Amino acid sequence: MKRIAVFWLVVGVIGWALLPWYLTEGGFWRFGWLADMSGTNISALGAALTGKPWLWLPALGFVGAALSLGLARSQLATARGLFASGTAGLALLMGQALLIGTRYGVWEAENPGIGAGAFVTAAALLFIATTGISGLGKGRGDAFVTGLVGAIVALVAIFVFFPLTFILVRAFELKGGGGLGFGEFLPRFLSSNIWGIGCITGGGSCGPAINSFLLGLSTAAGTTIMGLMFALIFTRTDFRAKKLLRVLTVLPIITPPFVIGLALILLFGRAGTITEFFSWAFGWEKTRWLYGFHGVWLAQMLSFTPIAFLVLIGVVEGVSPSMEEASQTLDANRWQTFRYVSFPLMRPGLANAFLLGFIESIADFGNPLVLGGNFNVLSTEIYFAIVGTIADPAQAAILSITLLTFTLTAFLAQRFWVGKKNYATVTGKADSGRHAALNPVLRWTAYLLALPWAFFTMVLYALIIFGSFVKLWGYDHTFTFEHYLRGFKIVVRNGVHFTGAAWDSYFTTLTISAIAAPLTAAVGLATAYLLVRQKFTGKDAFEFSTMLSFAIPGTVIGVAYIMAFNFPPIELTGTGLILIIVFIFRNMPVGVRGGIAAMSQLDRSLDEASIMLGANSATTLRRVILPLMGPAILAALTYSFVRAITSVSAVIFLVSARHNMATSFIVGRVENGEYGIAIAYASVLIVTMLTVIIAMQLVIGRRTLRRADRIEAH
Amino acid sequence: MNKTLTLGAVVLTAGLGASTAMAQSLNVVCSNEQAWCDLMAQNFEIETGIDVAIVRKSTGETLAQIRAEAGNPKVDVWWGGTGDPHLIAASEDLTVPSGVDVSGQLGWSQSMTEMSGGKAVGVHVGLLGIIYNTEVLAEKGLEPPACWRDLAKPEYEGEIQVANPKSSGTAYTELATLVQLFGEDEGFKLLADIGRNVNQYTKSGSAPGKATARGENTIGIGFMHDMVNLKKQGFPVEIVAPCEGTGYEVGAVSIINGTPNMDSAKKWVEYVISAPAQSAGLEVGVFNIPSNPDASTDPDAPDMAAVKLIDYDFATYGASDTRARLLDRWEAEVKGAGGVVEE
């Protein structure tokens, strides 16, 4: 404990005394500040000596820590001292950053946005405090565990709670600028404009809350079933074209928004190909059935089934064949084995898939916008409460709270269903049976549901590729390369010049996503590890708080981020970093869910064995747990990379002229009716992402759970 | 212990990137079509040598962003898009007077500038019109509409699409136009009658035109320059200027309050109202009417002289309280009156 504390003490003092405390011109990594360490590049020590005395405050934490290390007589006293001085230092640092400055106006003084020095100091103080906590015996006395909890709690607090308070507090705004109060909140929150149930009782249409709820349930149920069917085909049958199927199940998640909606309109819209065919063949009337609940649901099924599949495949694969063999040895037939052994063991996966499907569906923005018709859901209502002809942030905040209520309910329901049972089947014991094959009824059900769905997806994508090569999709089908040339032209003359309109945003998007993906996966899986393997107070609240940013519509997050991070102490707007951060904290929950599902299958005895052999928890995590988590890591990496490329609602507000993203470019073109170039760009993105995913799959590879994964012959 | 340090090191490295400051140049938010945004920025750079970073966002999104950034803006200039949000920004002091000379501009551009206290300079005009799909109309054996009142005919039941004025500035312009043409009570009655024929109130103002072009819908209401664009792309559509007269929007350019680049921003405003800058719009299919009388226009673009125009009262109908009142009335009398035939 002492060595770690001393290390962080040294790091912290360096950060406070030498590194530039505030934002530096040109960025930290250009090292321009090394040449001139005064002016805006001044360190806290320098500034404290020259007119900013409040910068002495954070250093008090280091003084306290040094005293506890040097003077305290017992281990326990040192630990208490470290905890107290770390926490006090952090509080002083945050206090001076928030209260002194021009924004919150307690004490007006020049106190610009914090930079590298402040960041290092804060991190050091945090780790000094957590090291102290571990010294008090918490987290099994493991500084790694307490440090990890501390780091994640701090990150979630800064990048989820801090911005969200800015927007949620507006729900309590009184009309006419009368400050805040509860007086108007309840009537507005419970208003029939939100909760109307006219569509059920038969008197008109429902409120957006009811619509979102029903849509979320249908989508979650549908995607979980489809995801399970695909997972079963993959792991429990000898279906031949598994590879092709795998690609098809990934395609929809890597499709930029609006594209699936557009393709569906061209197939099933009033003037769509299939509608025209039925009208011609059977004389059916051409209707606009697609615009509304059915269309949105169909598009969401296409978009989100792969997420359920990604969560479920790891879980279905992990169910131990020995259990299935044992069941069959005890004379159970295949159906009974599935129903009473395999299926119950898949519960954590099913529950997590359902939860993700539900949350994705109610927070989805692109599909309802394109196909919603007069079917209003919360996410679109929130968007237009912010950007509509009358901006009503209070209404947006109230609708967001409604949405969060649903998320919380779904989360609790999921916890209740999974319960406290033990789902570990990967135990490290000899485990070399064969997976039970599916009984014929179930096998054929899986085939009948999944294969037409796969075929449908294929048709849709063929159509999208086709659309990018024709002049005017739907009307003039002359073959042309024009759309690709406009977006991705390269001139080779005196070097290579990327002259196409799309190159800029393409490179930015790839860079930002490539940086965000591993960080997202790391934060997500680390959180999952803490949740599954460690015990600490406030764990449930911690778990829910990591889901928050995912459940809130991107529009709200986007505006909240501007409100929180456009002003000192943390000034990030207009940079690429704010995009990276928003992606990490928005997509982290998928890593968390996938990680939890996969980790709850790993028997604790594996960890215990490792710990008994003298490894600490960090080594155990790296050498024992991580290698068994291959699919979960892959899923987290893939998903966060892809989501960073395809997400749209949060980035609309955060993209800046210097850092434009592909989706915002595509949406602009779609709004302008230039579908050709939008689809061409989308196709390029799809191919790029597919390449990356396949490459990642090759690198990370499959985990070896047992000598061979075999499936019993039919 | 080593792992603990590694963890810390990773956190530190990731965080140190935080100290990235921005380079100085002109940051422009553009609410026009992407191609038009890019072309204008490129020409401006060639002309003035000032480095421009441009990003396209819709007017609603831009207004929400500059509101949230008020006091410490990251944007210098906001160019394009309908005038109403520019006027709102001006009234909330989110923008500052540019002090640019507009005496050489057309009358509506000057009055826009005057109305906003010099904060929003009018750059183009877009006329409101009706679009119909010739193929679908013929298939259903319907007569094409010629006037606003025609849209209330019962045979158009389920054939008309228009945006929701609560989310779309285009649709609000239509609402305000009908109120100004027929008087408030009569106007709302007509809107409710038309409402009985509407199959969907779309979120976006340009959606009805696009749906009509693709045959997803029969008759749509929107801005004519968008419709000309659709027609030129090859869709089977015709455009109608309503016989009673029609309303219009004035697009604008504004400088954001608190910009550190006032001089460059002013140059941008001067440039976008110059004739050569506006004439360049022809290269990328811009069909609205430019504010500079010397700028060249496309022969297919709507012609203000050939269309009967109302005297649109931006001061009254752009004001927040009128807007809130009319939209509440719309919710109760038009949307609430039902008539949306498909759920």
Side-chain angles (χ1 to χ4, degrees):
Chain A
M1 176 183 86
K2 275 199 171 180
R3 277 172 62 201
I4 301 173
V6 170
F7 171 80
W8 283 114
L9 183 60
V10 173
V11 170
V13 172
I14 293 175
W16 178 77
L18 297 177
L19 297 182
W21 184 263
Y22 295 117
L23 283 177
T24 47
E25 202 72 42
F28 180 80
W29 293 115
R30 302 254 181 85
F31 295 104
W33 55 274
L34 276 175
D36 174 20
M37 303 230 295
S38 59
T40 51
N41 297 335
I42 202 162
S43 73
L45 177 63
L49 291 169
T50 53
K52 292 194 170 73
W54 59 85
L55 291 180
W56 288 112
L57 294 175
L60 293 179
F62 297 130
V63 176
L67 288 177
S68 346
L69 284 168
L71 299 179
R73 257 170 279 151
S74 70
Q75 282 269 4
L76 203 61
T78 318
R80 283 199 190 116
L82 288 177
F83 171 65
S85 40
T87 334
L90 265 185
L92 289 171
L93 191 152
M94 287 193 294
Q96 66 84 20
L98 286 172
L99 299 180
I100 301 174
T102 42
R103 176 116 202 253
Y104 304 98
V106 177
W107 185 10
E108 293 261 339
E110 206 196 331
N111 204 16
I114 57 172
F119 177 77
V120 171
T121 309
L125 287 168
L126 174 72
F127 288 126
I128 287 174
T130 57
T131 310
I133 298 180
S134 76
L136 293 173
K138 300 278 193 278
R140 296 205 208 101
D142 193 327
F144 175 76
V145 171
T146 53
L148 202 57
V149 174
I152 290 173
V153 168
L155 287 173
V156 170
I158 296 174
F159 294 115
V160 179
F161 283 96
F162 178 61
L164 282 182
T165 45
F166 279 88
I167 196 115
L168 294 185
V169 84
R170 306 197 71 161
F172 303 99
E173 234 166 39
L174 298 177
K175 279 191 179 135
L180 300 175
F182 280 92
E184 287 170 17
F185 174 72
L186 273 185
R188 291 191 75 175
F189 180 65
L190 298 174
S191 145
S192 64
N193 283 338
I194 301 179
W195 296 96
I197 49 165
C199 60
I200 300 169
T201 54
S205 57
C206 276
I210 302 297
N211 285 342
S212 277
F213 184 71
L214 295 178
L215 181 68
L217 283 187
S218 325
T219 302
T223 54
T224 309
I225 292 171
M226 292 305 297
L228 180 64
M229 292 306 148
F230 275 109
L232 288 177
I233 291 182
F234 267 96
T235 54
R236 297 290 197 279
T237 69
D238 48 6
F239 185 70
R240 278 165 206 284
K242 280 185 187 175
K243 287 229 167 81
L244 177 72
L245 216 53
R246 177 91 203 199
V247 172
L248 281 182
T249 55
V250 176
L251 270 178
I253 354 180
I254 63 176
T255 305
F258 300 95
V259 175
I260 289 185
L262 283 181
L264 283 177
I265 289 180
L266 285 180
L267 276 180
F268 297 109
R270 198 197 152 277
T273 318
I274 291 180
T275 316
E276 294 276 3
F277 172 78
F278 278 104
S279 159
W280 168 81
F282 306 105
W284 291 3
E285 207 197 332
K286 294 188 242 177
T287 65
R288 298 169 36 85
W289 67 271
L290 187 69
Y291 300 91
F293 176 85
H294 302 101
V296 182
W297 181 75
L298 193 59
Q300 289 192 340
M301 284 292 291
L302 283 164
S303 313
F304 304 143
T305 293
I307 295 170
F309 170 74
L310 280 180
V311 171
L312 283 167
I313 178 96
V315 175
V316 173
E317 202 180 31
V319 170
S320 167
S322 337
M323 303 252 188
E324 291 177 353
E325 273 196 343
S327 154
Q328 287 183 318
T329 315
L330 294 170
D331 214 16
N333 63 26
R334 285 171 181 172
W335 168 250
Q336 286 167 326
T337 304
F338 177 79
R339 174 67 190 83
Y340 297 105
V341 177
S342 317
F343 184 76
L345 286 169
M346 293 172 194
R347 269 191 174 202
L350 293 170
N352 277 305
F354 190 91
L355 182 63
L356 276 181
F358 182 78
I359 294 175
E360 280 275 10
S361 162
I362 59 175
D364 178 30
F365 169 73
N367 292 318
L369 191 69
V370 176
L371 295 169
N374 297 307
F375 179 75
N376 291 324
V377 294
L378 289 171
S379 56
T380 49
E381 293 294 298
I382 291 170
Y383 177 79
F384 286 102
I386 291 176
V387 309
T389 36
I390 293 190
D392 192 350
Q395 181 69 10
I398 288 170
L399 291 170
S400 305
I401 291 175
T402 314
L403 210 149
L404 280 180
T405 316
F406 285 147
T407 314
L408 182 62
T409 317
F411 175 77
L412 292 175
Q414 181 250 18
R415 292 299 292 273
F416 179 75
W417 193 65
V418 175
K420 294 250 177 265
K421 291 196 192 78
N422 178 9
Y423 295 96
T425 60
V426 181
T427 55
K429 291 167 201 138
D431 186 20
S432 68
R434 292 178 311 182
H435 272 306
L438 298 174
N439 81 320
V441 177
L442 190 61
R443 190 169 76 236
W444 284 106
T445 317
Y447 282 155
L448 280 178
L449 279 176
L451 297 184
W453 187 251
F455 177 72
F456 178 49
T457 313
M458 219 148 50
V459 170
L460 218 55
Y461 280 86
L463 201 71
I464 290 169
I465 303 280
F466 170 77
S468 70
F469 283 109
V470 296
K471 272 219 158 92
L472 189 57
W473 195 12
Y475 273 87
D476 181 356
H477 292 162
T478 327
F479 181 83
T480 175
F481 274 119
E482 185 198 322
H483 306 306
Y484 285 96
L485 282 178
R486 275 178 62 205
F488 296 97
K489 196 170 181 185
I490 299 177
V491 178
V492 185
R493 197 174 57 222
N494 300 332
V496 183
H497 302 279
F498 297 95
T499 54
W503 282 118
D504 258 357
S505 57
Y506 179 76
F507 288 133
T508 313
T509 305
L510 286 192
T511 317
I512 288 184
S513 310
I515 299 173
L519 293 173
T520 315
V523 178
L525 293 176
T527 311
Y529 165 75
L530 291 176
L531 289 173
V532 178
R533 282 303 196 254
Q534 305 296 339
K535 286 202 175 81
F536 49 92
T537 16
K539 201 164 114 175
D540 282 353
F542 177 72
E543 181 174 0
F544 180 67
S545 71
T546 60
M547 300 292 289
L548 262 184
S549 63
F550 188 67
I552 294 178
T555 320
V556 176
I557 293 264
V559 173
Y561 262 57
I562 299 187
M563 287 175 165
F565 301 126
N566 189 51
F567 303 92
I570 305 178
E571 198 177 338
L572 295 172
T573 43
T575 64
L577 191 71
I578 195 169
L579 291 168
I580 296 176
I581 291 177
V582 84
F583 288 143
I584 294 178
F585 291 94
R586 247 180 105 56
N587 301 331
M588 172 183 99
V590 179
V592 177
R593 292 341 288 177
I596 290 181
M599 237 179 274
S600 32
Q601 286 189 322
L602 305 182
D603 196 312
R604 264 171 195 279
S605 61
L606 292 173
D607 302 25
E608 284 157 10
S610 160
I611 303 254
M612 266 192 304
L613 291 170
N616 62 19
S617 50
T619 313
T620 308
L621 179 61
R622 190 171 64 89
R623 301 289 294 274
V624 178
I625 299 181
L626 282 188
L628 288 169
M629 297 275 294
I633 297 173
L634 186 69
L637 267 180
T638 312
Y639 189 76
S640 46
F641 179 72
V642 158
R643 277 283 295 231
I645 292 182
T646 56
S647 71
V648 64
S649 50
V651 303
I652 282 177
F653 293 99
L654 300 176
V655 295
S656 50
R658 299 254 163 243
H659 303 279
N660 201 0
M661 298 287 286
T663 41
S664 115
F665 183 94
I666 292 178
V667 170
R669 296 300 169 127
V670 170
E671 269 178 27
N672 196 29
E674 296 174 74
Y675 296 146
I677 187 169
I679 293 163
Y681 198 164
S683 314
V684 171
L685 282 179
I686 290 174
V687 172
T688 313
M689 287 187 264
L690 210 52
T691 319
V692 173
I693 291 173
I694 291 172
M696 277 202 281
Q697 208 137 19
L698 290 179
V699 174
I700 296 182
R702 287 170 53 83
R703 61 181 168 172
T704 318
L705 291 180
R706 42 195 81 91
R707 272 191 209 117
D709 272 319
R710 288 173 298 176
I711 300 155
E712 136 193 53
H714 293 299
Chain B
M1 152 92 195
N2 281 339
K3 300 305 166 331
T4 318
L5 298 187
T6 323
L7 165 77
V10 169
V11 174
L12 285 186
T13 335
L16 284 180
S19 45
T20 316
M22 280 182 305
Q24 288 298 317
S25 69
L26 194 65
N27 278 305
V28 180
V29 172
C30 169
S31 303
N32 290 321
E33 296 82 10
Q34 183 82 47
W36 186 208
C37 299
D38 293 340
L39 182 69
M40 186 63 94
Q42 197 184 321
N43 288 343
F44 178 76
E45 281 185 356
I46 295 171
E47 209 58 42
T48 61
I50 298 169
D51 187 23
V52 176
I54 197 160
V55 65
R56 187 203 169 280
K57 294 185 189 192
S58 76
T59 49
E61 286 156 9
T62 313
L63 186 60
Q65 181 179 346
I66 61 174
R67 268 194 186 124
E69 288 184 356
N72 190 10
K74 299 293 189 288
V75 176
D76 301 312
V77 187
W78 175 17
W79 171 56
T82 51
D84 280 350
H86 281 271
L87 288 176
I88 295 171
S91 70
E92 292 179 12
D93 276 332
L94 296 167
T95 52
V96 284
S98 59
V100 168
D101 176 28
V102 294
S103 57
Q105 304 290 305
L106 291 170
W108 46 262
S109 165
Q110 294 186 23
S111 51
M112 178 80 171
T113 316
E114 198 180 317
M115 198 175 355
S116 62
K119 291 172 182 168
V121 176
V123 288
H124 66 242
V125 149
L127 308 181
L128 211 55
I130 301 171
I131 186 172
Y132 61 85
N133 186 308
T134 50
E135 286 175 5
V136 182
L137 211 67
E139 194 182 302
K140 304 219 166 191
L142 294 168
E143 286 293 310
C147 305
W148 291 117
R149 284 195 192 278
D150 289 348
L151 298 179
K153 286 184 189 167
E155 59 260 39
Y156 290 144
E157 187 182 331
E159 307 295 347
I160 298 177
Q161 209 170 80
V162 57
N164 183 331
K166 292 196 117 173
S167 63
S168 147
T170 310
Y172 179 76
T173 310
E174 181 230 339
L175 190 163
T177 299
L178 291 191
V179 167
Q180 289 173 74
L181 261 177
F182 301 104
E184 194 167 321
D185 291 337
E186 183 73 3
F188 270 104
K189 194 177 163 296
L190 181 59
L191 277 166
D193 289 344
I194 296 175
R196 270 182 266 285
N197 293 335
V198 168
N199 57 44
Q200 181 189 340
Y201 288 108
T202 63
K203 305 278 183 199
S204 142
S206 60
K210 276 180 268 178
T212 308
R214 296 207 158 264
E216 295 295 307
N217 173 54
T218 322
I219 301 167
I221 302 174
F223 283 121
M224 286 194 201
H225 50 258
D226 293 336
M227 300 171 179
V228 174
N229 200 347
L230 290 167
K231 196 175 171 185
K232 287 222 166 187
Q233 285 186 38
F235 289 109
V237 292
E238 285 303 329
I239 303 160
V240 179
C243 68
E244 296 101 333
T246 193
Y248 53 90
E249 50 118 2
V250 176
V253 58
S254 304
I255 297 179
I256 308 302
N257 192 354
T259 165
N261 303 314
M262 189 64 195
D263 289 340
S264 308
K266 208 176 146 185
K267 285 205 184 95
W268 176 273
V269 176
E270 277 165 1
Y271 184 69
V272 296
I273 60 171
S274 71
Q278 295 193 338
S279 304
L282 289 182
E283 295 168 32
V284 285
V286 174
F287 299 111
N288 46 32
I289 300 153
S291 67
N292 195 305
D294 301 328
S296 31
T297 49
D298 191 281
D300 290 329
D303 181 1
M304 275 184 105
V307 174
K308 195 168 155 194
L309 289 181
I310 64 166
D311 185 13
Y312 197 102
D313 183 355
F314 287 99
T316 308
Y317 291 94
S320 296
D321 46 341
T322 321
R323 195 180 264 268
R325 187 174 56 80
L326 290 181
L327 287 176
D328 281 345
R329 193 161 173 192
W330 181 85
E331 184 84 34
E333 292 178 24
V334 180
K335 193 157 186 232
V340 173
V341 277
E342 286 162 56
E343 264 307 305

